[in-house]
Amino acid sequence: MSRPRPTSFDEELERRLAILARCEEPDRRLPRTDTIALAAITAGCFAIVLIAQAL
Amino acid sequence: MTKGANRIEAALAETLPLLPEERSWSFRDMLAVKSGLSIATWGFLFGGATGQLVGFVDGFIALFFGTAVGLGILFFALLLPVYRNGCESFVFLRSAFGPIGASLLAVPLVLGMVPFSAAILSTMAGAATEEVLIGLSLFPADSGLPLAAIMSFAVLGVSFLLAARGSDTLRLFNLATVPLLVLLSGGLLAAVFIEAGWDTILAAAPPETRWDRPTRLMLAVELNIVAAISWFGLVGNLMRYGQSARGATWGTWIGLVPVSLLPATAGLASSLALGSPDPVQWMTPLVGPVLGLAMLLILILANVSSAVGLLQGNVTTIIQNFGAPIRQLGFAGMTGILCVIACLIIWFATDALYARFYSITASFGAIFAACIGVLLADRLVLRRSKVDLAGLHDTAGGPYAFWLGVNPAALIALAVGFAAYITLLEPVSQTPNPAFRYLSASLPAIAAAFAVHLALSRVVTIRARRGGYPGGRQAKLEIVDAEPAE
């Protein structure tokens, strides 16, 4: 890390929260298409298990 | 933490919400770290445990689809919000359970699990090291020394030295070793198939049980759902380092689902065809002494890489959730204490570890499943994915304090989910309820905890204006500081 770090854990927490509140963070959300793909894979996998049971 | 004028150590600082410059892992880095976690002893053991329930084809279905179901649910409950907020996983749990509630959960789920898992990993690595040393004629086979235990301690020592150095060492170590680990797992899989033959493996049947095929298949799927959700906070803590949500998510998914199939399928096939999932027992006889010894060396590396990730990810939870006295020990100090506890487990209870591997994992799975149900209801329905990062770190009466730091609604929902799980599947004796065959145990446990948390929160918690939920007067004030809606 390039910025000087304080000596106490609580001071460091305050410093980080202040930086995060100020800075322009990139969007950390998973894009909608990926979210849908992940949900579909998860649900589809359980459906395949049920189909395999029936075979 | 050092006192006086020294800055706090980097590894300790990274247990706090990560800064943008610390979230630098690419897709490749994330894939390497997660692959390094999944290619290890537990991959072979879960494959072997699956092979005790079903044949090869059903086993492969259970390994792939069960793991994908478990991990997928874990993403929506915990991994995605932890990545988004950059905070430690159990710190995020405070939004549902309260700060004291989350710390109480971390006692069994982290303090109880980590030394046990580290002991399993280092025991197998220790046994592999013993084989290597005897194979190289550095020690006689009948030396009378507890060579495997000593080597397990050495492996834990190396893991400690690497884990204590922080996240960048973990990333670089995995980037260097994962190609070898993939080769090892693929090589072992090929060796089992060449030795035993495709037809023999396909025809091999698991030991006789009183359950029919659909029930056995669901038992195997359940085992792998539980294996995946047991990654829980550890995977979230490591995922925070990802540069982009897409790279972090798919690096994690590919590392923990398709890549984990390599050792698990080798364990499944060898359990069915050779009678043991433990590669230490059959590797050298199967591929010859030279190649066998080389593979054993890589297996040691595999377990070291997993142990380093395990310690790195979980020490973060312990530092964040057990107060100032623990922080005084520093990141390295806490890592060392976990390694010492793992050493004691190895010394006193190695055989019990292997014998009860499945029972212990399944019992913890019941708690994890219920916990996921609570988190899904809280995050997706009650909070609509919005939490206040500063509030999560305010343990002295912030918006997530609920009642004395505990959310009774979440704890009751957790208990109901746990009860639903053991009603459908008693984990120690592996006795399923008739409905288990269609429903599994973890999915109904998640659903039960979800419904109870939702109902109690709406009827009691939100009406009492506790927990900073949208809708209460207190919540409206707090949302000003929450992440902006996108």
Side-chain angles (χ1 to χ4, degrees):
Chain A
M1 260 191 339
S2 54
R3 299 184 182 95
R5 208 178 294 127
T7 56
S8 100
F9 196 77
D10 292 330
E11 284 171 21
E12 176 68 9
L13 171 61
E14 278 177 30
R15 185 182 79 93
R16 283 171 179 256
L17 290 175
I19 292 171
L20 290 170
R22 276 198 314 268
C23 72
E24 292 270 329
E25 267 269 75
D27 190 355
R28 301 282 184 191
R29 278 201 313 186
L30 188 64
R32 183 172 291 273
T33 48
D34 296 57
T35 308
I36 292 168
L38 189 60
I41 290 169
T42 306
C45 285
F46 193 69
I48 290 171
V49 169
L50 295 178
I51 292 166
Q53 266 189 324
L55 292 176
Chain B
M1 184 169 49
T2 50
K3 291 177 180 174
N6 295 334
R7 299 179 316 168
I8 70 168
E9 57 177 312
L12 193 63
E14 287 180 15
T15 66
L16 291 164
L18 292 182
L19 296 173
E21 62 264 32
E22 291 167 334
R23 307 179 78 170
S24 58
W25 289 6
S26 65
F27 167 78
R28 191 180 63 143
D29 296 332
M30 192 63 71
L31 178 61
V33 169
K34 299 300 166 61
S35 301
L37 266 182
S38 68
I39 300 179
T41 302
W42 36 45
F44 294 101
L45 289 181
F46 275 110
T50 303
Q52 296 295 303
L53 295 165
V54 287
F56 184 78
V57 174
D58 281 352
F60 189 83
I61 289 169
L63 285 172
F64 184 83
F65 297 108
T67 308
V69 169
L71 194 67
I73 295 169
L74 186 60
F75 263 108
F76 288 101
L78 183 67
L79 305 186
L80 293 177
V82 163
Y83 174 78
R84 193 176 172 201
N85 292 292
C87 61
E88 190 282 319
S89 297
F90 279 75
V91 167
F92 175 75
L93 253 67
R94 291 173 186 167
S95 61
F97 291 93
I100 293 176
S103 296
L104 286 174
L105 275 174
V107 173
L109 299 183
V110 177
L111 286 181
M113 276 291 276
V114 177
F116 159 73
S117 303
I120 283 255
L121 286 169
S122 45
T123 297
M124 203 179 205
T129 316
E130 182 186 34
E131 288 285 320
V132 172
L133 292 176
I134 292 170
L136 295 172
S137 303
L138 293 173
F139 277 92
D142 54 353
S143 67
L145 288 170
L147 206 53
I150 294 167
M151 289 302 123
S152 303
F153 298 156
V155 165
L156 267 177
V158 172
S159 304
F160 160 72
L161 290 175
L162 291 167
R165 292 177 62 85
S167 61
D168 215 39
T169 304
L170 173 71
R171 181 181 69 85
L172 294 172
F173 184 71
N174 278 292
L175 279 174
T177 56
V178 158
L180 283 175
L181 308 188
V182 171
L183 275 177
L184 164 82
S185 317
L188 286 177
L189 188 56
V192 174
F193 272 96
I194 290 166
E195 173 66 21
W198 180 253
D199 292 338
T200 308
I201 290 171
L202 281 182
E208 279 293 317
T209 64
R210 57 197 163 121
W211 316 119
D212 58 7
R213 180 193 160 257
T215 306
R216 282 187 284 119
L217 176 57
M218 193 56 90
L219 280 168
V221 169
E222 178 62 38
L223 167 68
N224 288 286
I225 290 176
V226 162
I229 62 176
S230 298
W231 289 116
F232 207 69
L234 160 65
V235 169
N237 287 346
L238 296 177
M239 202 172 138
R240 298 182 304 151
Y241 290 98
Q243 206 167 35
S244 73
R246 183 171 272 168
T249 299
W250 296 113
T252 298
W253 195 89
I254 294 170
L256 296 182
V257 183
V259 174
S260 76
L261 277 181
L262 288 169
T265 310
L268 169 68
S270 62
S271 163
L272 286 165
L274 307 174
S276 168
D278 185 351
V280 175
Q281 292 181 12
W282 46 260
M283 200 187 297
T284 307
L286 204 65
V287 298
V290 177
L291 201 55
L293 288 179
M295 283 184 159
L296 282 170
L297 279 172
I298 303 173
L299 185 69
I300 296 164
L301 268 184
N303 281 11
V304 170
S305 75
S306 285
V308 175
L310 177 86
L311 292 166
Q312 260 277 318
N314 284 306
V315 168
T316 302
T317 299
I318 295 169
I319 295 277
Q320 276 294 311
N321 291 281
F322 293 104
I326 293 292
R327 283 177 220 139
Q328 295 293 329
L329 297 168
F331 196 89
M334 196 58 236
T335 310
I337 287 174
L338 285 180
C339 289
V340 169
I341 298 171
C343 286
L344 292 174
I345 293 172
I346 291 167
W347 193 254
F348 291 109
T350 305
D351 294 337
L353 279 183
Y354 277 96
R356 296 186 181 172
F357 175 71
Y358 184 83
S359 301
I360 295 171
T361 307
S363 304
F364 278 111
I367 308 175
F368 282 125
C371 204
I372 283 173
V374 172
L375 288 174
L376 283 172
D378 205 81
R379 180 202 161 218
L380 295 179
V381 182
L382 296 172
R383 297 195 192 279
R384 307 278 170 102
S385 302
K386 291 172 196 158
V387 290
D388 173 5
L389 190 59
L392 286 175
H393 290 85
D394 182 355
T395 53
Y400 306 119
F402 296 97
W403 285 272
L404 300 173
V406 174
N407 182 5
L411 292 184
I412 292 168
L414 185 80
V416 171
F418 183 83
Y421 190 103
I422 58 171
T423 302
L424 285 157
L425 177 67
E426 201 282 290
V428 177
S429 66
Q430 288 284 294
T431 309
N433 179 296
F436 171 84
R437 171 180 174 168
Y438 306 103
L439 300 171
S440 79
S442 46
L443 300 189
I446 290 170
F450 182 99
V452 171
H453 183 62
L454 201 58
L456 286 178
S457 298
R458 284 194 166 149
V459 172
V460 181
T461 317
I462 294 174
R463 285 189 186 175
R465 292 177 181 162
R466 303 279 177 155
Y469 289 104
R473 190 187 302 159
Q474 179 195 15
K476 280 175 187 164
L477 289 171
E478 282 149 6
I479 274 192
V480 175
D481 292 331
E483 286 182 289
E486 290 149 285

